[in-house]
């Protein structure tokens, strides 16, 4: 009778220990209370040691014991984070508290589970998910749009600890592909910039750029007059390079470049309009020179011209300040040292007499 009471006391102590501290997989621990006789041993063994297990099974108290597996799972990766093996007397209650796993948060609603163990090899599972590191910039968002740097006051950064990478002045008026972006907790959006060759230029605040429709970059208002001086460049209807106008038809003419594009290929393209508002297409800026006004750029000439019409005046400037009437110049020959191809379609000669005195600008239609 005394031995039976002792065994019962040992079993009750075992259950208390199991509910407080789990035993790692493959290990079974038996303990005893101070009530136990000093002759009763503390046994710690591996369940894989079959011969010793067989001896224990000979005891009726051991035959009443059940194994309970408790596992914590990384639900996303589908792998175990820990496995605990409990030994509990059949019919007793097991109380298990889910482990705290560094870098993970518990998904299972209950952090504590209770089970009346009524069979061997019972199973309890807790699901976890990996905690994402705190990133003030937020998650990477794939983008792919093309952006033109339009504000030189914004630098680029190598990381979100604000390590300087590139000056905004060096990137001004250049177009990049924003392969991705970040919506930062400070309220700003940052684009991750790459050039045409795939070289990374860092992160830039969206306020420093303007988004374009394609590789040509963003449309930028320009409104300057340009005289086409090269026959090597045609104009295009779009940036898929659909032909629009031959260089031969537009050379030595002045157009209003209402806007421009800084293409990712490194070239700048001007959007040309004539004096009537007709669009002539996109042209590489290398084809022309920017003028001070509608008169276009000064073009050196040097030809001799004779005034053959008395009904024209000469002008001191292209705001049409009167200089003199051709009645006083009729029949005389002058040197046109230079000329202007005006946006209104007229050519104006800059005339000098034989003594080198300037006579003003004259419409070429008054000369021969």
């Amino acid at each position: 009778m005394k031995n039976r009471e002792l065994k019962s006391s040992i079993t009750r102590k075992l259950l208390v220990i199991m509910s407080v501290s789990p035993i790692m997989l493959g290990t079974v621990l038996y303990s005893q209370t101070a009530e136990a006789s000093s002759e009763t041993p503390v046994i710690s063994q591996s369940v894989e040691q079959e011969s010793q297990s067989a001896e224990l099974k000979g005891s009726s108290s051991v035959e009443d014991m059940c194994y309970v597996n408790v596992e914590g799972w990384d639900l996303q990766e589908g792998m175990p984070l820990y496995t605990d093996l409990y030994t509990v007397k059949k019919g007793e209650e097991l109380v298990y508290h889910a482990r705290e796993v560094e870098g993970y948060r518990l998904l299972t609603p209950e952090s504590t589970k209770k089970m009346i163990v009524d069979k061997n090899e019972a199973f309890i599972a807790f699901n976890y998910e990996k905690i994402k590191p705190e990133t003030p910039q937020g998650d990477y968002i794939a983008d792919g749009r093309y952006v033109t740097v339009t504000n030189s006051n914004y630098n680029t950064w190598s990381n979100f600890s604000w390590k300087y990478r590139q000056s905004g002045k060096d990137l001004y008026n250049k177009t990049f592909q924003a392969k991705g972006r970040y919506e930062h907790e400070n309220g700003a959006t940052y684009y991750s910039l790459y050039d045409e060759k795939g070289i990374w230029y860092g992160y830039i605040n969206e306020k420093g750029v303007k988004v374009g429709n394609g590789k040509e970059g963003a449309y930028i208002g320009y409104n300057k007059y340009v005289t086409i001086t090269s026959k090597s460049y045609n104009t295009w209807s779009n940036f898929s390079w659909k032909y629009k106008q031959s260089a031969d038809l537009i050379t030595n003419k002045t157009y209003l470049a209402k806007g421009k594009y800084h293409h990712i290929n490194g070239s700048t393209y001007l959007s040309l309009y004539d004096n009537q508002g007709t669009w002539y297409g996109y042209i590489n800026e290398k084809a022309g020179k920017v003028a001070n006004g509608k008169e276009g750029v000064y073009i050196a000439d040097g030809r001799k011209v004779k005034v053959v019409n008395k009904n024209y005046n000469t002008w001191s400037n292209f705001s049409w300040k009167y200089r003199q009437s051709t009645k006083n110049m009729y029949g005389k020959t002058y040197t046109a040292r230079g000329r202007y191809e005006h946006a209104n379609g007229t050519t104006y000669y800059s005339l000098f007499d034989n003594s080198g005195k300037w006579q003003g600008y004259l419409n070429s239609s008054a000369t021969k």
Side-chain angles (χ1 to χ4, degrees):
M1 181 70 180
K2 186 175 181 179
N3 289 336
R4 189 174 303 148
E5 290 176 356
L6 177 59
K7 290 179 181 179
S8 176
S9 175
I10 293 173
T11 301
R12 286 197 299 273
K13 182 58 179 178
L14 168 64
L15 294 176
V16 172
I17 293 173
M18 292 302 99
S19 65
V20 174
S21 176
I23 306 170
M24 295 308 295
L25 178 63
T27 303
V28 182
L29 179 65
Y30 295 89
S31 183
Q32 62 178 352
T33 66
E35 300 171 355
S37 167
S38 60
E39 297 177 357
T40 305
V42 176
I43 305 172
S44 176
Q45 69 172 20
S46 169
V47 295
E48 296 175 357
Q49 296 174 331
E50 297 180 358
S51 61
Q52 295 184 26
S53 296
E55 293 177 7
L56 287 173
K57 289 179 181 178
S59 168
S60 61
S61 62
V62 173
E63 290 177 352
D64 291 339
M65 304 304 290
C66 297
Y67 293 119
V68 180
N69 285 304
V70 181
E71 292 187 350
W73 279 83
D74 181 330
L75 196 60
Q76 185 176 10
E77 297 295 331
M79 67 177 188
L81 299 173
Y82 61 83
T83 301
D84 295 331
L85 178 64
Y86 284 82
T87 308
V88 183
K89 185 178 180 180
K90 188 174 183 179
E92 295 289 345
E93 182 181 65
L94 171 66
V95 178
Y96 184 87
H97 301 283
R99 287 196 198 182
E100 290 186 6
V101 182
E102 185 176 358
Y104 287 83
R105 70 167 55 89
L106 182 66
L107 289 178
T108 303
E110 307 86 11
S111 62
T112 300
K113 289 189 176 183
K114 297 180 180 181
M115 171 187 285
I116 301 298
V117 181
D118 58 1
K119 62 180 180 179
N120 198 16
E121 299 183 358
F123 184 78
I124 299 175
F126 290 92
N127 294 325
Y128 295 77
E129 69 173 355
K130 187 172 290 186
I131 299 172
K132 295 180 180 179
E134 292 186 7
T135 51
Q137 70 271 22
D139 293 331
Y140 174 86
I141 303 171
D143 197 299
R145 291 176 293 176
Y146 292 86
V147 298
T148 302
V149 179
T150 55
N151 191 323
S152 61
N153 293 323
Y154 287 87
N155 301 323
T156 63
W157 311 99
S158 292
N159 54 42
F160 290 101
S161 296
W162 312 118
K163 181 181 178 182
Y164 171 85
R165 187 174 185 89
Q166 192 109 17
S167 169
K169 294 179 181 179
D170 296 333
L171 306 178
Y172 183 65
N173 281 340
K174 292 182 180 179
T175 293
F176 300 89
Q177 185 178 22
K179 290 189 177 181
R181 70 182 190 275
Y182 294 86
E183 306 290 346
H184 201 284
E185 67 178 15
N186 64 14
T189 296
Y190 293 87
Y191 292 120
S192 185
L193 303 184
Y194 291 79
D195 69 8
E196 189 178 34
K197 297 179 180 179
I199 298 173
W200 186 55
Y201 276 73
Y203 305 117
I204 193 170
N205 191 308
E206 65 174 346
K207 293 181 179 178
V209 304
K210 186 177 180 182
V211 178
N213 292 324
K215 292 183 178 182
E216 67 273 16
Y219 175 86
I220 299 172
Y222 198 45
N223 290 314
K224 291 186 178 182
Y225 287 91
V226 177
T227 301
I228 306 303
T229 56
S230 173
K231 292 184 177 182
S232 301
Y233 297 89
N234 300 322
T235 65
W236 310 99
S237 293
N238 54 42
F239 289 102
S240 296
W241 314 118
K242 180 181 178 181
Y243 171 85
K244 185 172 182 66
Q245 195 92 31
S246 168
D248 292 335
L249 300 176
I250 60 175
T251 302
N252 290 329
K253 294 182 180 179
T254 297
Y255 298 90
L256 175 63
K258 289 187 177 182
K260 63 180 179 179
Y261 296 85
H262 297 288
H263 201 284
I264 197 170
N265 65 16
S267 296
T268 296
Y269 294 88
L270 307 176
S271 185
L272 303 182
Y273 291 80
D274 68 10
N275 198 47
Q276 305 300 316
T278 302
W279 185 56
Y280 275 72
Y282 304 117
I283 196 169
N284 192 311
E285 67 173 350
K286 293 180 181 179
K289 295 180 180 179
V290 178
N292 292 324
K294 293 182 178 182
E295 68 275 14
V297 298
Y298 176 85
I299 302 172
D301 199 296
R303 74 185 76 185
K304 300 289 184 178
V305 296
K306 183 177 181 180
V307 178
V308 295
N309 193 315
K310 297 179 180 181
N311 297 319
Y312 286 82
N313 299 321
T314 65
W315 310 99
S316 293
N317 55 42
F318 290 101
S319 295
W320 314 118
K321 180 181 178 181
Y322 173 82
R323 188 173 186 87
Q324 63 180 310
S325 169
T326 54
K327 293 178 182 179
N328 301 325
M329 304 171 68
Y330 183 73
K332 296 179 181 179
T333 299
Y334 298 89
T335 301
R337 292 186 182 179
R339 72 182 191 276
Y340 293 86
E341 303 293 344
H342 200 284
N344 63 16
T346 302
T347 299
Y348 292 89
Y349 292 130
S350 182
L351 300 182
F352 291 79
D353 64 16
N354 290 333
S355 65
K357 183 178 180 180
W358 185 55
Q359 303 297 311
Y361 302 119
L362 179 62
N363 189 319
S364 63
S365 298
T367 68
K368 182 179 179 180

